[in-house]
Every structure is written in C-alpha cells, then in structure tokens.
Amino acid sequence: MVVDPGAAIVGLVGVGCLALALASLRHGSWIRRAYGTGPVDDTSARANALVMGVAGASMLAVAVAIDLELPERAVGTAAILGTSALCIGVGWAVRRYDRRDLLTTPNVDRETGKRLGTAAMLCGVLVLPLAGALWLEVDAGLVVLLATGAGLASLLSIGIAYR
C-alpha cells in the first residue's frame, strides 16, 4: 500500500496536534507555559487541549480523505467549511460567553478577548469564498488570490484585536 506524501504530512501534523493536546493536560507541562496558562489552571488547559484536539482530529480526517482518493473538490470544500464553522464557533464562544480560556493566550483582559472573538469570527467568514471557489473549480490563480487575501485580512484583524 502506497501512502500519498501529502496525506502523510497532514496526518503527521494531525497526530502532532493531538500529542500536544494530550501533553498540555499534564500539570506543569512546558506546553501550558507556552500557552501562558498557569501550571495548575486545569480549565484553561482543557480548553486549549480541546481546540488542539479538534484541529488534530480534523487534519487526520483530511489525511484519510486524501488517502482514500475522495474527490479533491469535495475534500477541499468540506475542509474549508469545517474550518470556517469552527472559527466562527470559537469566536462566538469567546465574544458572547467570555470563554477567553479557548484562546491560545487565555490571560488577556475581557475587552481584548471580545475583540479576539470578533476577529476569529471574521476569519471564519473571510475563508467562506474560498470554499465556493473550490466547489466551483475556478481558476487556480483566483483560489490563490482568495486564500492569500483571506490570510492577510485575518492576520490584520487579529493584530488589530491584540492592540
């Protein structure tokens, strides 16, 4: 059985995310310190582990879909839609319910947390046109333009939110 190199890379990154999520649950782990979470702050550690675990599981699902040779159009569109939904969901939880513990920097003040929640929701909305472009199989140049534009706008919105 020959494994697609792209699927292998995505799968390894997914396994890495899952390993980081599990390691962050241990008291005093270096990952907790990297997140800015206190060594005994289990609530924040669990929230970060959940986010990392979902990201890792999603990557593993994409790797399996690639390895099973599912249509690229369907895999790409589903991955973008799932990512968008997760960004919007996490952003909503942070903004509406003050779940700053879901952020990778959970020790931000409430106002910064609200701005970061809004930025996360904006990131989810910004990638939605990319899903449509993949589904409609538009020119690769337009896909790259949409992805680059969404990435830069997302980076800008997160940078502004941290100010």
Side-chain angles (χ1 to χ4, degrees), residues 40-117:
V40 293
D41 186 0
D42 288 337
T43 304
S44 294
R46 281 193 301 271
N48 279 324
L50 174 67
V51 171
M52 286 296 289
V54 167
S58 299
M59 288 183 186
L60 284 174
V62 169
V64 168
I66 292 170
D67 199 47
L68 293 176
E69 297 180 1
L70 297 178
E72 293 172 0
R73 171 179 157 184
V75 172
T77 303
I80 295 297
L81 289 174
T83 301
S84 176
L86 287 171
C87 283
I88 292 169
V90 167
W92 179 260
V94 170
R95 175 142 181 96
R96 176 79 168 97
Y97 299 108
D98 194 29
R99 291 296 311 267
R100 290 175 281 168
D101 55 320
L102 293 174
L103 299 170
T104 56
T105 52
N107 55 354
V108 296
D109 61 84
R110 181 176 291 219
E111 190 57 39
T112 301
K114 281 188 170 190
R115 289 193 310 265
L116 286 169

Side-chain angles (χ1 to χ4, degrees), residues 23 25 38 47 109 142 151:
L25 294 174
D109 61 84
L142 181 58

Side-chain angles (χ1 to χ4, degrees), residues 105-157:
T105 52
N107 55 354
V108 296
D109 61 84
R110 181 176 291 219
E111 190 57 39
T112 301
K114 281 188 170 190
R115 289 193 310 265
L116 286 169
T118 301
M121 289 188 292
L122 180 62
C123 291
V125 170
L126 286 170
V127 298
L128 282 176
L130 187 58
L134 291 175
W135 182 255
L136 297 174
E137 297 177 327
V138 299
D139 183 55
L142 181 58
V143 171
V144 168
L145 183 66
L146 286 171
T148 304
L152 290 174
S154 296
L155 182 63
L156 181 65
S157 70

